[in-house]
Amino acid sequence: MTCKELIEFLDDYYAGDQPAEVRAEFEKHLATCSECVDYLRTYENTVRLAQAASLCDEPAATADDAPEELIQAILAARSKQAD
Amino acid sequence: MNKPEHEVSAAALATRSDEELLSLLKGNDAAACERFVRDHMPRALAAARRLVGNEADAYDATQDAFLSFFRSLGSFRQDATLSTWLHRIVINAALMRRRSKQRRPETAIEDLLPCYLSDGHRANPVPVGEASAESLAERREVKLLVRRKIEELPEEYRNVILLRDIEQLDTAETARLLNDTPGAVKTRLHRARQALRTLLEREDTFGTRA
């Protein structure tokens, strides 16, 4: 297996979606290729950083997070829409 | 003051099934519409905020989504819950709002994917440090950098990262929203992640091993 082949199917390896024998080939390559080990680690870090990178700093939605002015604007526009 | 007969109390609405609620909403029951907006606003607004990144656009996208939801009640096929359907509409509204805004220049995806030598080894690999994603994500400047770099991806690659990694939708749902096949979404996500990795590496995000 070459580095190119490993990287091209890295998403399956990362997701654990490969048959055992294919995964074994990946593991064999990683055992001897420090560059691919680095690539895998930075790929995993990239995914986790993206997952943590919600585009806002707002906390998770709470039942109180319903701005009254927005609700009223929607209801007013809906009323006009329904007329 | 007596409520009009056709309006249902909040307590009664809370116990209605989706089918019953749909019937009330289609019949323009004012109390049902208000209850629906109030109940679903937190989740809808949170999703819009995650995808558009500023409060004004999040409010606009959320309003657009609810109005679109009410307009299209007649075509709802009940292949999902009302809540899921609204969430899909919110995501579409947020993506459309993003598309309408002026974007910074995008880098072509081919320039961000790894290059290989004829023997299959990567060309110009850079040794990287040992920092974990957890320790990196705790630093606000890294989080802001990741957001900026996601914005530099071409739109079709940016959208798949937004939906799969930030919004945490599964491949099938992402494909449905992007009007694409699951296989294409999977391929595009992998390329998007590789491209984002390259952009972050160029900023020395992962550090350099001594």
Side-chain angles (χ1 to χ4, degrees):
Chain A
M1 173 174 282
T2 65
C3 301
K4 183 177 180 193
E5 286 163 342
L6 183 138
I7 290 171
E8 284 188 355
F9 294 99
L10 193 60
D11 57 335
D12 289 333
Y13 177 82
Y14 176 70
D17 278 351
Q18 294 169 323
E21 60 272 19
V22 174
R23 191 167 184 87
E25 286 296 311
F26 270 64
E27 303 278 357
K28 195 167 144 191
H29 181 96
L30 288 167
T32 57
C33 182
S34 60
E35 288 167 8
C36 281
V37 169
D38 276 356
Y39 194 92
L40 173 60
R41 184 170 61 250
T42 52
Y43 184 90
E44 289 174 337
N45 281 351
T46 297
V47 175
R48 291 197 201 117
L49 286 172
Q51 289 170 343
S54 155
L55 296 188
C56 74
D57 286 320
E58 296 296 326
T62 66
D64 296 331
D65 199 5
E68 191 60 30
E69 71 273 21
L70 181 54
I71 290 172
Q72 292 305 324
I74 289 167
L75 295 176
R78 189 206 69 86
S79 258
K80 274 194 201 152
Q81 205 171 268
D83 286 342
Chain B
M1 188 171 100
N2 290 333
K3 277 198 178 47
E5 273 187 28
H6 64 277
E7 287 196 1
V8 184
S9 70
L13 279 170
T15 60
R16 297 282 169 146
S17 68
D18 250 24
E19 205 172 317
E20 290 167 323
L21 180 56
L22 179 62
S23 177
L24 287 168
L25 294 175
K26 278 182 175 176
N28 266 326
D29 185 289
C33 291
E34 180 170 348
R35 186 77 260 147
F36 185 83
V37 172
R38 288 189 182 280
D39 286 350
H40 292 82
M41 174 63 74
R43 187 176 175 227
L45 185 55
R49 281 172 171 150
R50 281 193 297 272
L51 291 172
V52 300
N54 73 78
E55 198 70 347
D57 284 341
Y59 270 40
D60 287 345
T62 303
Q63 180 164 337
D64 290 346
F66 272 105
L67 294 178
S68 177
F69 171 87
F70 287 120
R71 270 198 306 272
S72 54
L73 280 170
S75 57
F76 177 52
R77 285 191 193 82
Q78 301 186 58
D79 55 346
T81 64
L82 284 170
S83 179
T84 297
W85 190 43
L86 173 65
H87 191 225
R88 287 178 189 162
I89 295 174
V90 169
I91 289 172
N92 268 324
L95 292 181
M96 282 183 59
R97 191 145 286 272
R98 291 176 55 90
R99 196 174 299 137
S100 69
K101 294 279 182 173
Q102 188 113 15
R103 301 245 69 87
R104 62 172 65 197
E106 297 172 349
T107 310
I109 198 72
E110 290 73 22
D111 295 341
L112 299 175
L113 298 178
C115 297
Y116 300 97
L117 305 172
S118 56
D119 63 358
H121 280 91
R122 261 199 305 147
N124 309 317
V126 174
V128 292
E130 309 273 342
S132 70
E134 289 71 26
S135 64
L136 289 170
E138 278 169 13
R139 289 160 48 193
R140 182 169 167 74
E141 70 270 19
V142 172
K143 203 167 175 179
L144 292 175
L145 175 69
V146 173
R147 292 179 195 173
R148 281 205 310 276
K149 294 303 162 185
I150 287 173
E151 297 301 307
E152 286 180 29
L153 297 172
E155 183 183 347
E156 55 180 340
Y157 295 94
R158 183 172 63 235
N159 284 347
V160 76
I161 278 205
L162 289 175
L163 297 190
R164 286 284 287 115
D165 287 339
I166 290 182
E167 203 56 22
Q168 307 261 319
L169 301 179
D170 63 25
T171 301
E173 185 66 19
T174 301
R176 188 182 300 117
L177 278 161
L178 297 179
N179 206 25
D180 214 332
T181 65
V185 164
K186 200 165 161 289
T187 300
R188 201 170 314 129
L189 177 64
H190 181 43
R191 288 161 69 94
R193 286 168 168 174
Q194 289 181 81
L196 180 58
R197 185 208 155 276
T198 300
L199 287 170
L200 293 175
E201 186 180 60
R202 288 178 184 171
E203 300 287 338
D204 200 28
T205 304
F206 307 116
T208 308
R209 195 179 310 132

